[in-house]
Amino acid sequence: MTGIAWALHARVGRLSTGLTLLLGAWPSSWPPWSSSAFLSVPLNPRAPLVPLMLKQVDIERWNSRRRGSLSEARGPVVDIISQVREKGDEALFELTERFDKVRLEHLKVTREEIEEAYREVDGALVDALRTSKANIEAFHRMQRPADMWTREVSPGLVLGVKTTPLDSVGIYVPGGRASYPSTVLMCSVPARVAGVPHVIMCTPPPVSPLTLVAADISGVDAIYKVGGAQAIAAMAIGTKSISPVQKIVGPGNIYVTTAKMALRHLVEIDSPAGPSEIAVLADSTADEGFIAADILAQAEHDPNAACILITTDETLASKVGREIEKMIVRSERKEIIERSLQNCGYVLARDEASAVELVNFIAPEHLSIQVGDPQKALQGVRNAGSIFVGRYAAVALGDYASGTNHVLPTAGFAHVHSGLDVPQFMKRSSVQIVEREGLEFLADTVIKLAKAEGLHAHARSVSIRRQSDEG
């Protein structure tokens, strides 16, 4: 059965500290429970042969390959950070020429370059970006907490919370295999909804006109033609051209992720981002074509993308495999997909309840629920980055335009992390408003506890206030 269950340990090793991540060590005992209790269905030798596009994979070999290590990037990243710290902008120019093969005249994108980008991008595509931005903004406004709320909990004692946006945020937008204007929107719009007054963006050159238009539409204040670990170092440490920010968000490659982890003592970050992934929870009522399409949609992101079908119906797995074989023939990114599908497979659960627990075990970035009673299955899901419910809920809708955020925890981080949202760009301060009556209500309790801890000055700071009106 282990061959079918190959994906149960799919990137679920949690990296507890930046040092652990940089060293590439994944705690072997996490998660602390075993997967075997979920999989009591024995391998049926007479079951239909599943096509190789949805093959069985040895779990140990797959798991050792998928645990992920940043250790190979640590040395180069430390060197890059040191260069940026010592030489500032000069290092950024040198490193950009070295890695991106582009000799820059200036780091900051000019207004003229943005206007030229608008001329190069089709008007219908600009309209699509504006529609997507409006939907993202509408959903994220629902998440924004009140600037402050207070409540009187007893006479003379009012408690509350004051919520304040961060002062500055840096967005990293990758280049390379594709242009990602949607990532610009997903990172910048929530920051603006939160009220962050200064939002900058770094992206490697040459910068796609579509990326520039998206940044302008979403209200990014400054765009810099810098990529890789050097961009993260610049936004964390600061240079003459790029002011340091309080938080950096956005996906990137192994060097970007390593740099973010290495600089966490200087700047807050979102959760480390790894290759894209999807889990499809499906039963015999599901449409195999829809499932295959969703798997290919994630597979085309990256050769390391991970896709898994969790089902109670082995016949469905066979059908999905055949659909994948047919669809891949006409895929524009066939080479990437074929490499990614090496990380693709299925798990056969004994019943729907077990299937849902398998989802919780894996904690996927994207979860597609395509079962007869999707609402029931949804209620049992505890660990997933973004959940797509029903046969018509294509994951691509959330990637671009439904309004939910596509910057999500990967590699099992959905066990403890959420996707990017408005509160992540804000901080909260507790508020206490105390009048004389409130002081009297709490004074005896505080004085007794403070003296019990040996903190007599704490006790006197309360008793002196009681005595002030008595004298």
Side-chain angles (χ1 to χ4, degrees):
M1 193 60 203
T2 56
I4 294 178
W6 61 271
L8 283 178
H9 295 295
R11 303 181 319 171
V12 293
R14 184 170 66 181
L15 307 177
S16 58
T17 66
L19 179 61
T20 301
L21 182 58
L22 287 174
L23 294 176
W26 294 70
S28 59
S29 61
W30 191 89
W33 58 88
S34 168
S35 64
S36 59
F38 300 141
L39 296 175
S40 60
V41 179
L43 180 61
N44 180 5
R46 297 182 180 179
L49 180 63
V50 178
L52 290 178
M53 287 301 167
L54 204 65
K55 63 183 181 301
Q56 299 179 11
V57 180
D58 178 78
I59 188 169
E60 294 302 328
R61 285 171 48 194
W62 185 91
N63 197 40
S64 64
R65 185 173 68 248
R66 295 302 304 157
R67 284 187 174 186
S69 170
L70 302 183
S71 58
E72 66 183 75
R74 183 177 184 274
V77 166
V78 169
D79 180 60
I80 288 170
I81 292 172
S82 296
Q83 290 184 56
V84 174
R85 180 179 282 113
E86 293 169 7
K87 299 195 295 182
D89 284 353
E90 182 184 349
L92 299 181
F93 283 109
E94 292 174 355
L95 292 166
T96 299
E97 185 171 1
R98 174 182 169 190
F99 294 121
D100 300 302
K101 313 302 180 188
V102 176
R103 179 173 292 183
L104 296 174
E105 295 181 3
H106 47 82
L107 296 174
K108 186 177 180 180
V109 172
T110 65
R111 188 65 215 176
E112 290 73 20
E113 289 175 292
I114 294 173
E115 294 299 335
E116 177 61 28
Y118 272 101
R119 288 190 286 271
E120 293 183 28
V121 176
D122 183 83
L125 200 48
V126 174
D127 290 341
L129 286 173
R130 290 193 171 116
T131 298
S132 177
K133 186 251 186 180
N135 292 347
I136 295 167
E137 186 173 54
F139 176 71
H140 286 78
R141 285 197 181 282
M142 301 176 196
Q143 304 170 6
R144 197 186 193 286
D147 291 339
M148 187 168 72
W149 63 264
T150 58
R151 182 174 300 169
E152 186 175 49
V153 296
S154 65
L157 179 60
V158 175
L159 304 180
V161 173
K162 186 178 189 300
T163 305
T164 310
L166 299 177
D167 292 329
S168 58
V169 166
I171 296 168
Y172 185 81
V173 177
R177 291 188 176 90
S179 172
Y180 297 104
S182 58
T183 298
V184 179
L185 300 177
M186 296 291 178
C187 292
S188 58
V189 172
R192 285 306 196 192
V193 170
V196 176
H198 186 58
V199 179
I200 68 170
M201 185 181 93
C202 284
T203 189
V207 184
S208 161
L210 198 55
T211 298
L212 292 180
V213 170
D216 189 62
I217 287 173
S218 57
V220 173
D221 294 300
I223 308 164
Y224 298 95
K225 293 177 277 189
V226 183
Q230 59 270 28
I232 304 303
M235 290 190 284
I237 299 167
T239 71
K240 183 178 179 180
S241 298
I242 303 176
S243 299
V245 297
Q246 292 180 314
K247 184 167 187 171
I248 298 174
V249 301
N253 63 20
I254 185 173
Y255 298 98
V256 169
T257 300
T258 302
K260 287 166 74 175
M261 295 301 296
L263 292 163
R264 287 194 76 171
H265 64 292
L266 296 179
V267 64
E268 184 56 67
I269 66 168
D270 51 359
S271 59
S276 186
E277 57 191 41
I278 183 175
V280 180
L281 176 62
D283 62 15
S284 59
T285 67
D287 185 301
E288 62 270 19
F290 293 174
I291 297 172
D294 283 338
I295 288 174
L296 293 181
Q298 294 306 308
E300 74 173 349
H301 270 293
D302 188 288
N304 294 316
C307 309
I308 183 170
L309 168 64
I310 301 173
T311 183
T312 54
D313 182 8
E314 194 164 16
T315 301
L316 176 65
S318 179
K319 293 178 179 177
V320 171
R322 292 190 179 93
E323 285 296 319
I324 289 174
E325 286 189 337
K326 287 188 286 187
M327 291 181 180
I328 198 174
V329 173
R330 56 182 185 272
S331 296
E332 292 79 2
R333 295 164 69 86
K334 181 179 179 181
E335 182 179 348
I336 293 174
I337 291 173
E338 286 180 336
R339 291 172 61 191
S340 173
L341 287 176
Q342 295 175 19
N343 309 314
C344 181
Y346 78 95
V347 170
L348 185 64
R350 62 189 178 199
D351 51 41
E352 187 171 302
S354 300
V356 172
E357 285 309 310
L358 286 170
V359 168
N360 291 324
F361 183 86
I362 293 169
E365 177 190 19
H366 303 95
L367 170 63
S368 172
I369 300 179
Q370 301 185 44
V371 296
D373 189 350
Q375 291 295 332
K376 179 183 177 183
L378 175 63
Q379 293 305 311
V381 175
R382 301 187 304 278
N383 305 320
S386 189
I387 307 171
F388 299 79
V389 183
R391 59 193 285 124
Y392 299 109
V395 173
L397 298 178
D399 286 342
Y400 293 105
S402 69
T404 60
N405 207 290
H406 78 202
V407 180
L408 303 166
T410 62
F413 273 96
H415 278 282
V416 292
H417 284 278
S418 305
L420 197 63
D421 57 18
V422 170
Q424 292 184 44
F425 294 100
M426 310 185 83
K427 55 187 185 294
R428 290 165 294 284
S429 304
S430 55
V431 176
Q432 298 102 130
I433 303 171
V434 186
E435 298 178 359
R436 176 72 194 196
E437 197 172 4
L439 175 70
E440 287 296 336
F441 177 71
L442 296 175
D444 289 340
T445 298
V446 174
I447 290 170
K448 288 175 183 175
L449 291 173
K451 287 181 176 179
E453 292 187 349
L455 300 175
H456 298 281
H458 282 64
R460 281 193 292 274
S461 73
V462 173
S463 61
I464 194 174
R465 285 172 165 79
R466 285 180 119 178
Q467 297 162 6
S468 64
D469 289 345
E470 295 174 1

